[in-house]
Amino acid sequence: MSLTVHTEQRGDVVVVSVAGELDMATAPQLQDQITDLLDKGRNRLVFDLADVSFCDSTGLSVFVRSKNSCDEAGGVVRLAAPQRGVLRILEVSGLVEVLHTYPTVDEAVAGEPSPASS
C-alpha cells in the first residue's frame, strides 16, 4: 500500500492530509515532508488522519518527532479525524494524551478542546 501526503495552508496552520498505510515502508516519506515544512519555518501542523487505514510504531514516531520539533520552535502538532483503529493505537500507546487529538480537521485547526480523547 502506498502513502499520499498533501499539504494545505490554513492561516498560520499547515494541514497535512495523509492517506494510506503509515508504516516502516512509508513513514520516511511523511518524515521527509515534515522536515521540509519545519525547514521552511512551518511549525503549526495539523495531521488529517481520516484516510489513514493503518499506523504502526514507525508512523507514531513521526508524530512524536514532529511534536518535539514543533514544541522546540514554539509551534504545535495536532491530530485530526483518526479512524477507529488508528485512534485505538494512539490510546493504547498513551499518545492520545500527548498528541492533541480532535474529531475534525476544523476543530484541530481552531485548537478547541479535544473531545476525541474522552
Side-chain angles (χ1 to χ4, degrees):
M1 179 84 181
S2 64
L3 187 77
T4 59
V5 181
H6 298 285
T7 60
E8 173 192 354
Q9 189 78 37
R10 288 201 199 175
D12 65 345
V13 174
V14 177
V15 176
V16 181
S17 299
V18 185
E21 294 184 357
L22 187 52
D23 58 22
M24 187 169 44
T26 59
Q29 174 188 345
L30 179 58
Q31 184 63 58
D32 288 347
Q33 291 205 252
I34 299 310
T35 299
D36 186 51
L37 287 169
L38 293 170
D39 287 348
K40 293 176 180 173
R42 306 289 194 266
N43 60 10
R44 298 180 55 78
L45 307 177
V46 168
F47 289 94
D48 178 357
L49 305 180
D51 294 323
V52 174
S53 56
F54 175 80
C55 181
D56 71 4
S57 61
T58 315
L60 294 178
S61 70
V62 172
F63 300 135
V64 171
R65 280 195 302 272
S66 298
K67 180 188 183 328
N68 292 342
S69 296
C70 287
D71 285 353
E72 288 174 15
V76 66
V77 166
R78 299 180 186 124
L79 306 182
Q83 292 184 20
R84 181 174 301 199
V86 174
L87 180 59
R88 182 73 182 130
I89 291 166
L90 290 166
E91 290 170 343
V92 168
S93 67
L95 289 175
V96 77
E97 306 298 327
V98 176
L99 299 166
H100 301 287
T101 306
Y102 296 78
T104 69
V105 171
D106 289 341
E107 288 174 281
V109 169
E112 297 169 359
S114 53
S117 61
S118 346

